[in-house]
Amino acid sequence: VVLVPFSHHDDDEVRLNRDLRIAFVASSSCAQSSQWRLGEKDATSGRRLITTGADDRTIGAPGNFFRIVQTQTIGVYNIQWCPTEVCSTCKFECGTVGVIRENGKILLALDGGALPIVFQKE
């Protein structure tokens, strides 16, 4: 997974509670973007899946921006979708990335039961 901060003004460090893009490392032969994106809200279930691909609705669209937040347990984090640096005047239905199980598959979704994350430097 690659993390890219929204703002490169100060440095390229990934910081807590700051907007960033997340992408899977994919082979160069992969034609589709591997960047995480918030999918549209399902009209029936109300769920919002995390998909891949560029959010091309508008320039600077917020769909590709997430943030890392500290949990109550030291060293354990959650990923949230709430891109307030990208658009400080927008009102978002923010949520925490978690997992849902459906038809034998495990899917990433907002508010599907928080997925705890632990980082390891290489």
Side-chain angles (χ1 to χ4, degrees):
V1 174
V2 176
L3 307 173
V4 179
F6 167 64
S7 175
H8 293 287
H9 297 294
D10 299 325
D11 53 45
D12 288 338
E13 288 186 25
V14 172
R15 299 185 186 275
L16 295 179
N17 303 311
R18 304 293 300 266
D19 292 351
L20 56 87
R21 288 184 170 137
I22 303 173
F24 292 114
V25 175
S27 71
S28 59
S29 63
C30 183
Q32 182 180 350
S33 171
S34 64
Q35 192 172 165
W36 289 22
R37 176 174 59 90
L38 179 64
E40 296 295 323
K41 188 178 231 181
D42 183 274
T44 306
S45 67
R47 73 179 184 191
R48 296 182 290 173
L49 294 179
I50 306 303
T51 62
T52 57
D55 183 348
D56 55 5
R57 291 177 282 183
T58 61
I59 294 173
N64 288 114
F65 291 94
F66 295 83
R67 54 184 45 217
I68 299 167
V69 296
Q70 176 72 53
T71 66
Q72 293 180 353
T73 305
I74 294 174
V76 179
Y77 304 88
N78 289 137
I79 297 175
Q80 290 183 342
W81 180 83
C82 198
T84 54
E85 284 182 287
V86 172
C87 183
S88 60
T89 59
C90 297
K91 299 209 183 316
F92 296 111
E93 256 185 76
C94 299
T96 301
V97 175
V99 294
I100 58 173
R101 296 176 190 276
E102 183 178 275
N103 299 324
K105 295 179 183 176
I106 299 173
L107 306 170
L108 286 177
L110 284 197
D111 302 324
L115 177 66
I117 304 291
V118 176
F119 293 98
Q120 179 179 336
K121 269 190 173 181
E122 288 192 19

